[in-house]
Amino acid sequence: MFEFELIKECKDTKARVGLLKTPHGDIETPIFMPVGTQATVKTLSPCELKSINSQIILSNTYHLYLRPGHKLVKEAGGLHKFMNWDRPILTDSGGFQVFSLGDLRTITEEGVEFRSHLDGSKHFLSPEKVMEIENDLGADIIMAFDECAPYPCTHEYAKNSLERTTRWAKRCKDSHQRNDQALFGIIQGGTFKDLRIQSANELIPMDFPGYAIGGLSVGEPNELMYEVLDYLTPIMPKHKPRYLMGVGAPDNIVEGIMRGVDMFDCVLPTRIARNGTAMTRTGKLVVRNAKYKADFTPIDEECTCYACKNFTRAYIRHLIKTDEILGLRLISIHNLHFLLELARESRNAILEDRFIEFRKEFYKKYKI
Amino acid sequence: MFEFELIKECKDTKARVGLLKTPHGDIETPIFMPVGTQATVKTLSPCELKSINSQIILSNTYHLYLRPGHKLVKEAGGLHKFMNWDRPILTDSGGFQVFSLGDLRTITEEGVEFRSHLDGSKHFLSPEKVMEIENDLGADIIMAFDECAPYPCTHEYAKNSLERTTRWAKRCKDSHQRNDQALFGIIQGGTFKDLRIQSANELIPMDFPGYAIGGLSVGEPNELMYEVLDYLTPIMPKHKPRYLMGVGAPDNIVEGIMRGVDMFDCVLPTRIARNGTAMTRTGKLVVRNAKYKADFTPIDEECTCYACKNFTRAYIRHLIKTDEILGLRLISIHNLHFLLELARESRNAILEDRFIEFRKEFYKKYKI
């Protein structure tokens, strides 16, 4: 039901091409996964997501637990049916969201007590509870409940977090019920090499069908993120998918792929869209800026997305300036299409033994 | 370039079927026109509008004059190109919006001085200026600059308004430049029979290619609106299209059609969508209500729109409750589809000599 086939390894780098088989279809890796936090990828419809070749989307345990509630989603026939998405889904465990609540939560060995960001109501999430929720939601890939250390943090803090993450991973594994769902473990350890290695060495013997790298892209410099990947991916299982959580800047994706990462997700493309900013091959383009007022060219002349094939910067700027929703939709579709194409082109480059050249070309145009 | 063909008259009522030919295609009447105030029908894309068979959309002179400005739209190649809509467009004259500004405007014989609702900046619209703007926007059908009397108002006020509307209609006609645009006159006169007849008698000799009925659906009871239509449509030219402005409640549309109206427009379907309310054959359905929380049926089982074919009330309610834009999109598409279908079914009923039965069936189910 769940299988990862390693199709090709880059001869010059650690980049690789794979095929991830799930109950709702195959996923060609490397892949970017659009984020649908509340059972909807913000502003877009399932058929638009298919039109840009989204192979898998992500949704969020914390948010769906609070609204509409996992029992309701189960009653609807699971998340796929509830949101009418028949391709693979991955659910985050809510770990990151709960820890981000700061003063609103208390962590103990048993789990996390927290107050809802919506109404202040009290809740408790444990590894077992998270498994119950994720089982009810019914995604193809579900994440273990982890503790994500902030950046920066002390070695001691990061060590405690990763060790608890290991203990919780075991509890998740023990209580996970459905064999049509793949439970991924999450490697923590902050930016400390010894801790990342410790975390990997503790989790790998548990034989999860896939491994995520958590706790990166939380404020550390890019160089530190790349350094962690440099020493971490070589000790991760070769024949299992590797997922770098929360990463979605185009250069981070290219660097992650080069270092052997297979899967990425991030709210960035839809979040900056709502701010009137588009992602392009040359970097960010702030469509709402006055200089595009009478610019009757598309966001990107070479792009084949619905927004670029049909609308001008001037029109999209007008929509953004007048708070019209179509503007958010058009930039969201463009940004997601851009990242999905970036992953697809990387994949083709690896298959055709030209990933190094592809990366070089990427940086010739791209301004961070 | 512009022609109205009267195809069939109902044998029992004043209802009629026509074909309105414009430079951007033919329009089958009776028709409902979705409103795209700011060069976009709120939340929807042009291809979605086509998917629900929108034959013509409406846009607004007042709003486009302020943002992005008519000169910019002209530079873009006109409104059709600017918003990428290749079917017919009708532009309102801005009269209604300007008069709605209340204390922010001063009416003189020359025109209306007003302050922008956006930034308080001072502007002046005259019949000649409105023609310049509408010519630049380039819609297929453009409306004369009129003065819309409020409801209730005195006979004297309504008389002054309609007489000024007549003088302004003449100035519009004199300054209108493009022969690929049809300029419609607007009949005013409030709810006073003598004044409505006076207005019609003054405008009809000017030989506009179409006539609108303005100043209704501004707060008067339905019965008064129907009464005006009862005596007004019989004296309006038979071989010219008749447009009842701002009317979009399902029962008002059926009653308008029965009284010989060909065209309707209203922001209602998209406005109530944003409030979580759907239009159905049995009346309004407030999708956001708690009773639909676990209702896994579509908004309307019999409806063929994208929302009803793919999503449940429970899911749409979740989207509305969590402020997710897809919820607004789905209800908007459903509501517009509903009104477009209502017009199409009315048309078919007239063609098949069963409009009376159709209306009877409509009221059997519909609760106002």
Side-chain angles (χ1 to χ4, degrees):
Chain A
M1 225 162 201
F2 191 86
E3 203 181 301
F4 181 68
E5 188 186 334
L6 188 60
I7 289 179
K8 169 124 187 170
E9 290 178 285
C10 176
K11 61 181 172 35
D12 310 301
T13 71
K14 282 178 270 181
R16 53 202 228 144
V17 157
L19 191 69
L20 187 53
K21 296 177 183 174
T22 82
H24 286 88
D26 298 349
I27 301 154
E28 297 180 327
T29 64
I31 189 69
F32 177 78
M33 304 182 282
V35 179
T37 305
Q38 304 191 110
T40 170
V41 174
K42 285 201 188 298
T43 82
L44 300 183
S45 71
C47 81
E48 283 164 335
L49 289 169
K50 288 187 178 179
S51 79
I52 54 172
N53 302 312
S54 305
Q55 300 182 56
I56 172 173
I57 60 169
L58 193 142
S59 199
N60 199 283
T61 292
Y62 168 78
H63 289 88
L64 296 180
Y65 160 73
L66 290 178
R67 291 190 304 195
H70 53 110
K71 290 297 173 204
L72 185 86
V73 174
K74 187 185 185 182
E75 200 185 330
L79 192 50
H80 290 88
K81 277 193 86 170
F82 183 59
M83 66 183 293
N84 193 33
W85 175 255
D86 58 9
R87 294 187 183 177
I89 299 177
L90 181 152
T91 43
D92 192 355
S93 64
F96 181 76
Q97 282 72 28
V98 169
F99 298 110
S100 303
L101 290 173
D103 288 349
L104 290 173
R105 48 84 178 158
T106 318
I107 308 172
T108 61
E109 185 58 23
E110 182 52 25
V112 184
E113 189 180 84
F114 66 96
R115 288 188 179 274
S116 157
H117 72 287
L118 297 168
D119 59 8
S121 56
K122 238 186 207 174
H123 301 268
F124 187 77
L125 285 183
S126 64
E128 292 75 16
K129 180 73 186 174
V130 166
M131 285 303 100
E132 180 203 322
I133 299 169
E134 292 199 89
N135 284 190
D136 282 351
L137 295 175
D140 301 82
I141 302 172
I142 67 175
M143 304 306 295
F145 193 51
D146 61 329
E147 184 184 338
C148 177
Y151 177 85
C153 76
T154 63
H155 188 275
E156 190 194 354
Y157 188 104
K159 187 172 163 70
N160 285 336
S161 287
L162 91 84
E163 289 173 352
R164 182 175 286 133
T165 294
T166 298
R167 293 189 297 274
W168 284 3
K170 184 167 184 324
R171 284 167 59 190
C172 283
K173 201 175 178 204
D174 290 345
S175 65
H176 173 46
Q177 299 290 330
R178 292 174 59 160
N179 57 18
D180 60 345
Q181 292 185 307
L183 171 64
F184 278 26
I186 303 175
I187 298 168
Q188 291 289 354
T191 50
F192 303 100
K193 185 172 180 178
D194 61 324
L195 298 184
R196 284 285 173 180
I197 290 170
Q198 179 187 342
S199 180
N201 286 340
E202 288 176 5
L203 292 172
I204 290 167
M206 291 188 209
D207 197 25
F208 287 103
Y211 288 92
I213 303 161
L216 289 182
S217 198
V218 291
E220 79 285 0
N222 278 340
E223 292 62 37
L224 259 183
M225 183 202 300
Y226 301 155
E227 194 186 301
V228 173
L229 295 178
D230 280 334
Y231 56 70
L232 193 54
T233 57
I235 61 166
M236 288 171 75
K238 184 171 168 176
H239 294 279
K240 290 184 174 175
R242 301 163 183 166
Y243 162 28
L244 179 54
M245 303 181 82
V247 165
D251 50 329
N252 290 168
I253 289 179
V254 171
E255 295 305 304
I257 290 173
M258 188 173 78
R259 288 164 175 84
V261 173
D262 306 304
M263 304 162 73
F264 302 86
D265 84 283
C266 194
V267 296
L268 188 73
T270 43
R271 179 168 291 167
I272 66 174
R274 296 199 298 282
N275 196 21
T277 302
M279 291 173 152
T280 76
R281 276 163 210 287
T282 52
K284 282 184 190 166
L285 188 136
V286 186
V287 189
R288 67 178 305 135
N289 279 353
K291 66 173 165 179
Y292 302 118
K293 192 181 163 125
D295 185 338
F296 302 113
T297 63
I299 292 173
D300 178 352
E301 293 274 12
E302 290 169 38
C303 178
T304 59
C305 82
Y306 177 68
C308 289
K309 282 290 185 197
N310 291 284
F311 303 95
T312 62
R313 293 172 178 184
Y315 180 62
I316 297 172
R317 177 179 186 273
H318 163 68
L319 295 176
I320 296 289
K321 295 293 284 181
T322 53
D323 294 321
E324 288 285 358
I325 281 172
L326 183 58
L328 313 182
R329 288 179 57 185
L330 293 177
I331 306 182
S332 294
I333 214 163
H334 169 83
N335 287 354
L336 286 176
H337 177 265
F338 175 75
L339 292 187
L340 286 161
E341 282 299 290
L342 186 64
R344 196 183 59 81
E345 287 167 13
S346 301
R347 189 176 200 271
N348 288 341
I350 299 165
L351 285 173
E352 294 163 9
D353 284 324
R354 51 173 183 79
F355 181 73
I356 285 283
E357 292 79 359
F358 172 80
R359 178 171 172 268
K360 207 177 285 172
E361 283 301 310
F362 171 80
Y363 279 113
K364 254 190 210 163
K365 295 181 190 164
Y366 192 76
K367 279 183 213 77
I368 295 166
Chain B
M1 227 165 200
F2 191 86
E3 203 181 301
F4 181 68
E5 189 186 333
L6 187 60
I7 290 178
K8 169 125 188 168
E9 289 178 286
C10 177
K11 61 181 172 36
D12 310 300
T13 71
K14 282 178 272 181
R16 52 202 230 147
V17 157
L19 191 69
L20 187 54
K21 296 177 184 174
T22 83
H24 286 86
D26 298 349
I27 301 153
E28 296 181 328
T29 64
I31 188 70
F32 177 79
M33 304 182 283
V35 179
T37 305
Q38 303 191 111
T40 171
V41 175
K42 287 201 189 296
T43 82
L44 300 184
S45 71
C47 81
E48 283 164 337
L49 289 168
K50 287 186 179 180
S51 79
I52 54 172
N53 302 313
S54 305
Q55 300 182 54
I56 173 171
I57 60 170
L58 191 142
S59 199
N60 199 283
T61 293
Y62 168 78
H63 290 87
L64 295 179
Y65 160 74
L66 291 177
R67 292 190 304 195
H70 53 110
K71 290 296 173 203
L72 185 87
V73 174
K74 187 185 185 183
E75 201 185 331
L79 192 50
H80 291 88
K81 276 194 85 171
F82 183 59
M83 66 183 292
N84 193 34
W85 175 256
D86 58 10
R87 294 186 183 177
I89 299 176
L90 181 151
T91 42
D92 191 357
S93 65
F96 181 75
Q97 282 71 30
V98 168
F99 297 108
S100 304
L101 290 172
D103 288 348
L104 290 174
R105 47 86 177 156
T106 318
I107 308 171
T108 61
E109 185 58 22
E110 182 51 24
V112 184
E113 189 179 84
F114 65 97
R115 289 188 180 275
S116 157
H117 72 286
L118 298 168
D119 59 7
S121 56
K122 239 187 207 173
H123 300 269
F124 187 78
L125 285 182
S126 62
E128 292 75 16
K129 181 69 186 177
V130 167
M131 286 302 100
E132 180 202 322
I133 298 168
E134 292 200 88
N135 284 189
D136 282 351
L137 296 175
D140 301 81
I141 301 172
I142 67 175
M143 303 306 295
F145 193 51
D146 62 329
E147 185 184 338
C148 176
Y151 177 86
C153 76
T154 63
H155 188 276
E156 190 193 355
Y157 188 102
K159 187 173 163 70
N160 285 336
S161 288
L162 91 85
E163 289 174 352
R164 183 175 285 133
T165 294
T166 299
R167 293 189 296 274
W168 284 3
K170 185 167 182 325
R171 283 166 58 188
C172 284
K173 200 174 178 207
D174 290 345
S175 66
H176 174 45
Q177 299 289 329
R178 291 174 59 161
N179 57 17
D180 60 346
Q181 292 184 307
L183 170 64
F184 278 26
I186 304 175
I187 298 169
Q188 292 288 356
T191 50
F192 302 100
K193 185 172 180 179
D194 61 324
L195 299 184
R196 284 285 175 181
I197 291 170
Q198 178 187 341
S199 179
N201 286 340
E202 288 176 6
L203 292 172
I204 291 167
M206 291 189 211
D207 197 25
F208 288 103
Y211 287 92
I213 302 162
L216 289 182
S217 198
V218 291
E220 79 285 0
N222 278 340
E223 292 61 37
L224 259 183
M225 183 202 299
Y226 300 155
E227 193 186 302
V228 173
L229 295 179
D230 279 334
Y231 56 69
L232 194 53
T233 56
I235 62 167
M236 289 172 74
K238 184 172 169 175
H239 293 280
K240 290 183 176 177
R242 302 164 183 164
Y243 162 28
L244 179 55
M245 303 181 83
V247 165
D251 51 328
N252 290 169
I253 289 179
V254 171
E255 295 305 304
I257 289 173
M258 189 174 76
R259 288 164 174 83
V261 173
D262 306 303
M263 304 161 74
F264 301 86
D265 83 283
C266 195
V267 295
L268 188 74
T270 43
R271 179 168 291 166
I272 66 173
R274 296 200 297 283
N275 196 21
T277 302
M279 291 173 153
T280 76
R281 273 162 214 289
T282 52
K284 282 184 191 167
L285 187 137
V286 186
V287 189
R288 67 177 307 135
N289 279 354
K291 66 173 164 178
Y292 302 118
K293 192 180 163 125
D295 184 338
F296 302 114
T297 64
I299 293 173
D300 177 352
E301 294 273 11
E302 290 170 37
C303 178
T304 59
C305 83
Y306 177 69
C308 290
K309 282 290 185 196
N310 291 283
F311 303 95
T312 62
R313 293 171 179 183
Y315 180 61
I316 297 173
R317 176 178 185 272
H318 163 67
L319 295 176
I320 296 290
K321 295 292 285 180
T322 53
D323 295 321
E324 288 285 358
I325 281 172
L326 183 59
L328 313 183
R329 287 179 57 185
L330 293 176
I331 306 182
S332 294
I333 214 163
H334 169 82
N335 286 354
L336 286 176
H337 176 265
F338 175 74
L339 292 187
L340 286 160
E341 283 298 290
L342 185 64
R344 196 183 59 79
E345 287 166 13
S346 301
R347 189 176 199 272
N348 288 339
I350 300 165
L351 285 173
E352 294 162 9
D353 285 323
R354 51 172 184 80
F355 181 73
I356 285 282
E357 292 80 359
F358 172 80
R359 179 170 171 268
K360 208 177 285 172
E361 283 302 309
F362 171 82
Y363 279 112
K364 255 191 210 161
K365 296 181 190 166
Y366 192 76
K367 280 185 211 72
I368 295 167

